[in-house]
Amino acid sequence: MEQAAREAFAKWRGSADRVVIARAPGRVNLVGDHTDYNDGLVLPMILDRAVYVAARFSLDGAHHFWSENYREGVTYSPGQWPGVRPGHWASYIAGMIQELPPPGPIELLVMGDVPLGAGLSSSAALEMATGLALEALRGKSVPPLELAQIGQRVEHRYAGVKCGIMDQIVSRVGRTGHALFLDCHTLKWEHIPIQSEDIQFLVIDSRVRRQLATSKYNERRAECQKALEFMQASDAAITSLRYAGAHHVKEIKESVLQRRIRHVISENNRVEAACSTVIHSDWGTLGRIFSLSHESLQGDYEVSCEEMDFLAAHAELFPGVFGARMMGGGFGGCTINLARAGEGPAIAASVTAAYEDKYEQKPVAHIIGPGLEARRSYD
Ligand code: GLA
């Protein structure tokens, strides 16, 4: 795909001399959803699909971007802002440029095979790939954690999503064949090898995309903040929901907030347990953790939707499925399914057919191969 990006660039600008190519992968999350912005624990893994960026300095005084996927170009002058809405593909690139300004205007082409808007972190991948290219154009490297934080800031400032740090960190530092155990309070991580001979991870994209997903996501963050303020009124030492205990849940009178905290507490526990199941290749237990995580995201955190509930429940009817759950921010997007090796395609075919029957919409299934690590190459 690096070669394809180079060729597409040459077609777009007449030549691809002196381009820098960078790529960064999308991600799945084994478990640990809506915990990252509560200083909690997460266990994501990079995808075998990535966003590719080809970039070099521009000679005509303007920034030029081109998206191969959308077949759309954006041009603007340095020091200004392109006329695009927050969350538009070009807003992530312009945002990264704003945070890591190159010494002159640039030409940048983006393409990739991370499904867009499906909850597989195509935007974090775009931020990280752009960031890696900008490092080269600036002649100065940025520590991986810092680059991830810059990407997170771009989401907050230029896309209006108050996301946590999980997606950017795993896209930047995730390793092939490993899950990433990340503590979002200390910002320390560990690469956990996955012995995957006996299993397959299957992602099923419901193709449900809800406009309200961003506002609902931000609403959950605000609820967590409110819950924290309640707890701090009686326990000034508590700094985040990560450190909430069962007694805090009892003290809060509002049942919605009780459920939100309960999810964060139980999901953090599940991440710890999941980590040890991966280390011991205990897939039966990991599958049960998937199911419990889904229940909690559905009932306590209320970020699932009918279509994802259907996908997860239907997949779990198969003896070859250890467990299934909705994944990511919620309100649409993908489920992740842990299946016995070799059974993924049959399960995908059957779940897809049942879903299509019911919702007249064909979901897309991907069996995840070994992840593609972020990297940069020069001409
Ligand atoms: C989105 C956000 C992440 C994380 C997940 C939910 O992917 O970008 O920071 O909060 O949702 O776990």
Side-chain angles (χ1 to χ4, degrees):
M1 187 86 86
E2 266 110 345
Q3 192 48 30
R6 189 179 299 281
E7 280 162 21
F9 191 101
K11 211 161 148 209
W12 173 46
R13 300 314 280 175
S15 95
D17 295 345
R18 296 179 310 280
V19 295
V20 174
I21 310 271
R23 78 167 188 218
R27 63 103 187 89
V28 288
N29 190 14
L30 300 188
V31 68
D33 273 318
H34 292 273
T35 47
D36 61 351
Y37 55 80
N38 287 306
D39 279 357
L41 305 172
V42 294
L43 191 65
M45 178 176 96
I46 53 171
L47 274 181
D48 52 351
R49 290 162 175 257
V51 169
Y52 295 77
V53 151
R56 69 177 181 194
F57 288 109
S58 144
L59 297 176
D60 68 0
H63 287 302
H64 298 276
F65 308 155
W66 174 259
S67 161
E68 272 293 284
N69 296 80
Y70 291 109
R71 314 258 352 128
E72 181 186 35
V74 166
T75 292
Y76 68 105
S77 302
Q80 308 207 314
W81 182 254
V84 296
R85 62 173 169 77
H88 181 274
W89 62 269
S91 68
Y92 300 103
I93 303 168
M96 290 302 290
I97 287 181
Q98 203 77 2
E99 301 285 324
L100 287 175
I106 66 167
E107 300 171 341
L108 185 150
L109 173 137
V110 52
M111 64 192 282
D113 56 3
V114 183
L116 300 165
L120 296 171
S121 295
S122 56
S123 63
L126 173 55
E127 290 144 19
M128 294 303 94
T130 303
L132 282 171
L134 288 173
E135 285 180 33
L137 297 176
R138 286 158 57 92
K140 207 167 150 211
S141 63
V142 177
L145 175 59
E146 207 176 298
L147 195 70
Q149 287 167 324
I150 291 171
Q152 182 190 23
R153 204 149 66 223
V154 164
E155 296 271 352
H156 288 204
R157 289 190 181 156
Y158 307 101
V161 183
K162 302 283 177 209
C163 67
I165 191 71
M166 162 171 76
D167 305 345
Q168 288 78 9
I169 293 191
V170 70
S171 176
R172 178 65 190 84
V173 310
R175 278 197 198 150
T176 306
H178 291 72
L180 188 82
F181 177 52
L182 169 67
D183 181 324
C184 299
H185 187 197
T186 61
L187 295 177
K188 298 257 183 288
W189 58 80
E190 208 180 312
H191 298 280
I192 311 285
I194 303 185
Q195 311 298 332
S196 58
E197 303 79 44
D198 300 333
I199 50 156
Q200 277 177 327
F201 289 105
L202 173 69
V203 162
I204 305 182
D205 181 356
S206 66
R207 313 248 318 253
V208 173
R209 307 282 187 267
R210 297 232 156 82
Q211 281 299 320
L212 53 66
T214 299
S215 62
K216 285 282 179 198
Y217 182 93
N218 292 342
E219 183 185 298
R220 290 294 174 278
R221 275 209 79 152
E223 287 167 349
C224 289
Q225 182 57 32
K226 198 168 160 201
L228 178 63
E229 283 160 17
F230 266 117
M231 294 187 296
Q232 284 172 330
S234 58
D235 177 359
I238 192 161
T239 51
S240 66
L241 261 52
R242 161 78 174 277
Y243 302 104
H247 61 287
H248 291 113
V249 180
K250 271 199 220 116
E251 272 161 31
I252 290 193
K253 295 287 166 278
E254 251 179 84
S255 81
V256 169
L257 299 187
Q258 275 182 348
R259 281 183 281 126
R260 304 298 186 252
I261 308 177
R262 197 161 61 198
H263 167 73
V264 175
I265 297 175
S266 67
E267 188 80 346
N268 279 327
N269 292 338
R270 280 187 287 274
V271 174
E272 261 176 319
C275 217
S276 102
T277 66
V278 172
I279 292 166
H280 297 105
S281 303
D282 177 0
W283 307 123
T285 308
L286 183 59
R288 281 197 295 284
I289 292 173
F290 273 31
S291 316
L292 292 171
S293 171
H294 184 91
E295 258 173 45
S296 179
L297 287 160
Q298 179 190 16
D300 279 349
Y301 218 71
E302 295 176 284
V303 288
S304 189
C305 61
E306 192 197 313
E307 294 88 341
M308 290 207 291
D309 294 345
F310 178 88
L311 284 177
H314 199 82
E316 289 193 345
L317 297 176
F318 288 85
V321 171
F322 295 106
R325 67 177 205 94
M326 63 144 286
M327 183 185 72
F331 307 102
C334 295
T335 57
I336 180 163
N337 304 262
L338 177 59
R340 204 164 279 136
E343 302 201 21
I347 292 162
S350 164
V351 174
T352 306
Y355 184 89
E356 200 181 352
D357 252 11
K358 188 161 161 91
Y359 295 106
E360 289 168 10
Q361 163 100 288
K362 202 174 166 53
V364 189
H366 314 277
I367 290 170
I368 307 173
L372 287 170
E373 296 175 7
R375 73 171 184 205
R376 180 173 53 227
S377 54
Y378 298 91
D379 204 354

